[in-house]
Amino acid sequence: MAVGPGTLPEFFPVAGVKLGIASAGIKKPGRKDIVLFELAPESRVAGIFTRNQFCAAPVTLSRRHLAQKAPRYLLINTGNANAGTGERGMTDAIACCGALAERAGVSPEEVLPFSTGVIGEPLPVEKIVRALPEALANTDENRWAEAASGIMTTDTRPKGASRQLDLDGHTVTISGISKGAGMIRPNMATMLGFIATDARIEPGLLQALAVELGEKSFNRITIDGDTSTNDCCMLMASGQYGGPEIRPDSPTLAKLREALEQVYLELAHAIVRDGEGATKFVTIDVAGAAGQKEALDVAYTVAHSPLVKTALFASDPNWGRILAAVGRAGVPDLDLNALEIFLGDVCLVRNGGRADDYSEERGQAVMDREEITIAIDLKRGDVRETIWTCDFSHDYVTINAEYRT
Amino acid sequence: MAVGPGTLPEFFPVAGVKLGIASAGIKKPGRKDIVLFELAPESRVAGIFTRNQFCAAPVTLSRRHLAQKAPRYLLINTGNANAGTGERGMTDAIACCGALAERAGVSPEEVLPFSTGVIGEPLPVEKIVRALPEALANTDENRWAEAASGIMTTDTRPKGASRQLDLDGHTVTISGISKGAGMIRPNMATMLGFIATDARIEPGLLQALAVELGEKSFNRITIDGDTSTNDCCMLMASGQYGGPEIRPDSPTLAKLREALEQVYLELAHAIVRDGEGATKFVTIDVAGAAGQKEALDVAYTVAHSPLVKTALFASDPNWGRILAAVGRAGVPDLDLNALEIFLGDVCLVRNGGRADDYSEERGQAVMDREEITIAIDLKRGDVRETIWTCDFSHDYVTINAEYRT
């Protein structure tokens, strides 16, 4: 089950970025479970990583390598997260990077490892190493769609986004893929995003964009509030678009940022739409906050409330549950009589209770839709934050309760 | 569905505390939906109230009255929470207190109102006022069991606890009732607890006990993390046990505190056992914390993780989910390699990964039980906190999704 259309876009190839695919047989024989990104020299990479303290070995190693050298390869395996694997996990991640580096003629620090799949099982290093020649042999700029499928674990569909834009007469291409369906899929370590462009972007700016855009997109979605040990989102820039380097003061930056943001949002939203058991795609928009923290506290408290989420599943405009969630979000001195809550364009709460012009029929009409916005105006300031989530269905329980049976 | 035996205890009557019951027909004709506590003069009352900012009108009024005078009556109605009802809600709560006060010959400030039931509907004041004579006419010290049923909303069973103990040759009695099944039942404003004793307790100490014991019991349970707008827990002391006033330095205090704590815990645990769709009663014990906040952050993050809760429902010893929840609890510099996680007496996690001596069979044997302890030792200090929760089942979704259909 998933919300809305799930067709992959037509991917534009990104000059300087090749993808290789192979089958290591990590979980199932024949399944494409290895994806390589091969980056042209001079490429630059930035990224953001999980805030879970128990991050997986490949996350720790990717951070370290990224701080040491400009990467030439990203090595992704699915089927095994190499998380909760103790010291051996780090040894295994180092071994995979070393094997790829040797065969590709680069140094091990130029390889970033990413793993997704089951937690707590040792990484099958030999299988991965045996598959590397196949992946290296078939790298090509036109394998984005295969790569989108190659990084899936229990996602119900591949996720991708692609854009071209003109920057002062030079065509810039942006393509990206993502995976993830719960913040931690049953026993799975989940969210990965890889976005590449041929734009030439000044390194500090690239890192700033990776943080800013990740914050606005992948860090604003939640399925169940569980943060995976393996989440990573990487932004790669090959620099081959033919135009000048884009810097913080470049007039072309605004347009590039907008296009990148669209790709980030599409990829992040695709994860929510494919949320475990999701039947609704829900936007939670908190306005009128006095600060960012309180805006996000309110938004996430509503998004994580099992009572709100089950009401969304039931298409039940149960405004009391939304109101009660706002009230327990920990915002000091919140004025119940001032705030307003809207479901789509229908006002649910005003003057401390159900809005006078609210009717069950009007609320129901909004709730019956597949895409729903809950808008909360705290009337305390001018800070606004938006996050995205999905509902909580019988299928969520089924997927997560019966995963190993 | 509920966990474990649910039989009410034999209630010991509490001298100086009478209970009256009546049927106001708030939701269903004939249903006993009004419960009165009538307290002898000189009784003392203390309590704790919801931290939800949008507390219901009766909560605000009870707080106010409690600060003004020693209460003589507690007036509880079920079927309507008088929450999210704006200014009218306060007028209605005042009207009910006034009507009872007039008929009983006390001042309105000597009445504390409590409401539980549907949020956002106006309180049917006339129906309640019409039922007061019946309740006043039948007050009796032996109606605890009826009162336990009278305060239920969608609870599947009444909840009570009762104890007698000897304090220096004087028999002290403690009896209590509670209600609640989700932290907010579908559209319901939920948790209420009423504990009475005939001990004579110094007022400051009574308030301190109400806070301390409430904190250790009702404030350490969670079904779904949703805090109701109406939660209250009141401790009443009639002072008629015949012994001396118990003060902070009384040698009898320790024994009394222990007995009160048992009653508080039984009543609080009864709410978890009757949690919406609950099939497991789960104790989460966090030891070795450097402070209380981090102990509770870890405990609640595990208790609220939908992935942990669905694994408990499935009796699946999925240690990766517990580990990942601990890792995202926001504790700074947590050392994955130091901590230990136990399921019952079986070690799941040690040295950063699955414990060497763990086996699926041993984990499964613990998970198959109806009562399960998850013990987490952070190895950072000597603070320990225990909380109680239940699992997350298909029935939880059914109950909360299909409540209004």
Side-chain angles (χ1 to χ4, degrees), chain B residues 207-290:
Chain B
Q207 178 61 33
L209 286 170
V211 171
E212 176 202 327
L213 300 177
E215 192 65 21
K216 283 185 181 176
S217 57
F218 292 103
N219 282 338
R220 289 289 181 279
I221 60 171
T222 179
I223 310 293
D224 49 20
D226 278 300
T227 308
S228 154
T229 51
N230 290 52
D231 295 345
C232 297
C233 179
M234 308 306 294
L235 177 58
M236 300 167 262
S238 69
Q240 304 199 349
Y241 84 123
E245 184 174 78
I246 299 164
R247 300 164 181 274
D249 58 356
S250 299
T252 50
L253 175 58
K255 196 169 170 187
L256 176 68
R257 175 189 271 126
E258 190 191 331
L260 280 169
E261 185 173 341
Q262 284 169 3
V263 169
Y264 267 78
L265 281 174
E266 267 183 56
L267 293 173
H269 291 178
I271 291 176
V272 176
R273 288 173 191 280
D274 197 21
E276 294 170 342
T279 72
K280 305 273 188 190
F281 178 78
V282 184
T283 302
I284 299 181
D285 185 63
V286 177

Side-chain angles (χ1 to χ4, degrees), chain A residues 52-54 184 186-187 225-227 305 307 314 316 318 321 323-324 327-328 331 334 360 394 398 400-401 404, chain B residues 52-54 184 186-187 225-227 305 307 314 316 318 321 323-324 327-328 331 334 360 392 394 398 400-401 404:
Chain A
N52 195 306
Q53 302 233 0
F54 301 152
I184 305 176
N187 218 359
D226 279 301
T227 308
S305 163
L307 293 172
D316 176 3
N318 194 323
R321 295 188 188 177
L323 183 67
R328 71 175 170 86
V331 178
L334 198 53
E360 193 79 1
H394 279 294
T398 302
N400 285 296
R404 310 208 306 179
Chain B
N52 195 306
Q53 302 234 0
F54 301 153
I184 303 177
N187 218 359
D226 278 300
T227 308
S305 162
L307 292 173
D316 176 5
N318 194 322
R321 295 188 190 178
L323 183 68
R328 71 174 170 86
V331 178
L334 198 53
E360 193 79 1
F392 217 178
H394 279 295
T398 302
N400 285 296
R404 311 208 306 178

Side-chain angles (χ1 to χ4, degrees), chain A residues 153-374:
Chain A
T153 50
T154 46
D155 304 57
T156 70
R157 56 200 198 186
K159 302 166 180 71
S162 196
R163 286 274 188 297
Q164 282 191 324
L165 65 155
D166 178 87
L167 285 191
D168 270 355
H170 301 282
T171 298
V172 166
T173 299
I174 305 167
S175 289
I177 56 177
S178 65
K179 66 136 304 211
M183 279 298 96
I184 305 176
R185 190 79 194 204
N187 218 359
M188 295 286 181
T190 298
M191 208 289 298
L192 293 176
F194 300 96
I195 297 98
T197 176
D198 52 3
R200 197 162 146 238
I201 305 176
E202 186 265 322
L205 175 60
L206 188 72
Q207 178 60 32
L209 285 171
V211 171
E212 175 201 329
L213 299 176
E215 192 65 22
K216 284 186 182 174
S217 58
F218 292 102
N219 282 338
R220 289 291 180 276
I221 61 172
T222 179
I223 310 293
D224 48 21
D226 279 301
T227 308
S228 154
T229 51
N230 290 53
D231 295 345
C232 298
C233 179
M234 308 307 294
L235 177 58
M236 301 167 259
S238 70
Q240 304 200 347
Y241 84 122
E245 183 174 76
I246 299 164
R247 299 161 182 274
D249 58 355
S250 299
T252 50
L253 175 57
K255 195 170 172 187
L256 175 67
R257 174 189 274 125
E258 190 191 330
L260 280 169
E261 185 173 342
Q262 285 170 1
V263 168
Y264 267 78
L265 282 174
E266 266 183 57
L267 293 174
H269 291 180
I271 290 175
V272 175
R273 289 174 190 279
D274 196 21
E276 294 170 343
T279 73
K280 305 273 187 189
F281 178 79
V282 184
T283 302
I284 299 182
D285 184 65
V286 177
Q292 186 186 44
K293 180 176 185 304
E294 69 180 44
L296 291 175
D297 284 348
V298 168
Y300 281 114
T301 305
V302 173
H304 291 153
S305 163
L307 293 172
V308 172
K309 289 173 103 72
T310 48
L312 285 163
F313 168 55
S315 297
D316 176 3
N318 194 323
W319 58 274
R321 295 188 188 177
I322 302 170
L323 183 67
V326 174
R328 71 175 170 86
V331 178
D333 307 318
L334 198 53
D335 184 358
L336 171 61
N337 293 309
L339 69 78
E340 291 180 347
I341 302 177
F342 284 79
L343 191 68
D345 55 353
V346 176
C347 187
L348 296 178
V349 173
R350 186 181 282 138
N351 297 325
R354 187 168 46 196
D356 286 340
D357 56 349
Y358 176 75
S359 73
E360 193 79 1
E361 294 67 39
R362 296 182 64 211
Q364 194 62 59
V366 178
M367 265 294 178
D368 287 341
R369 297 175 198 152
E370 223 180 40
E371 310 218 351
I372 292 169
T373 297
I374 297 173

Side-chain angles (χ1 to χ4, degrees), chain B residues 38-52:
Chain B
E38 184 177 72
L39 305 175
E42 313 302 325
S43 292
R44 291 159 183 169
V45 179
I48 56 171
F49 299 91
T50 181
R51 291 169 185 164
N52 195 306

Side-chain angles (χ1 to χ4, degrees), chain B residues 314-365:
Chain B
S315 297
D316 176 5
N318 194 322
W319 59 273
R321 295 188 190 178
I322 302 171
L323 183 68
V326 174
R328 71 174 170 86
V331 178
D333 306 320
L334 198 53
D335 183 359
L336 171 60
N337 293 308
L339 70 79
E340 291 180 348
I341 302 177
F342 284 79
L343 191 68
D345 55 353
V346 176
C347 187
L348 296 178
V349 173
R350 188 182 279 136
N351 296 326
R354 188 167 47 195
D356 286 339
D357 56 349
Y358 176 75
S359 73
E360 193 79 1
E361 294 67 37
R362 296 181 64 211
Q364 193 63 57

Side-chain angles (χ1 to χ4, degrees), chain B residues 175-193:
Chain B
S175 289
I177 55 176
S178 65
K179 64 136 306 208
M183 278 298 95
I184 303 177
R185 191 77 196 201
N187 218 359
M188 296 285 182
T190 298
M191 208 288 296
L192 293 177

